[in-house]
Amino acid sequence: MKLIDDIKESYNELVYKVSWPTQKQLINSSVLVLIASIIIAVFIWVVDKIFNLLMELVYSISF
């Protein structure tokens, strides 16, 4: 019986107490996450390219 009560309480909480975002809020949040992900990916790519160039420079110097 405890399990059934827990499931009923969980359902009631999801239906009546949770504040779900509107479709517009959800889309805005998704776009924001997408843009931030692209910016971070580009930043990491640039840092990687710079590091790669520095390593090529270091390895090309012969003694």
Side-chain angles (χ1 to χ4, degrees):
M1 283 318 252
K2 176 79 169 127
L3 178 63
I4 294 174
D5 289 338
D6 287 342
I7 292 172
K8 286 179 181 177
E9 288 177 14
S10 297
Y11 175 78
N12 285 333
E13 185 172 342
L14 280 173
V15 172
Y16 299 113
K17 295 182 181 177
V18 174
S19 173
W20 296 101
T22 64
Q23 184 177 5
K24 185 176 180 179
Q25 290 171 330
L26 191 61
I27 290 172
N28 287 340
S29 297
S30 299
V31 169
L32 182 64
V33 168
L34 179 65
I35 291 171
S37 298
I38 291 170
I39 291 171
I40 292 169
V42 169
F43 175 76
I44 291 173
W45 179 76
V46 168
V47 170
D48 182 56
K49 287 296 178 186
I50 292 170
F51 186 72
N52 190 25
L53 289 172
L54 288 173
M55 289 296 103
E56 286 178 3
L57 179 66
V58 168
Y59 288 135
S60 69
I61 297 174
S62 56
F63 293 100

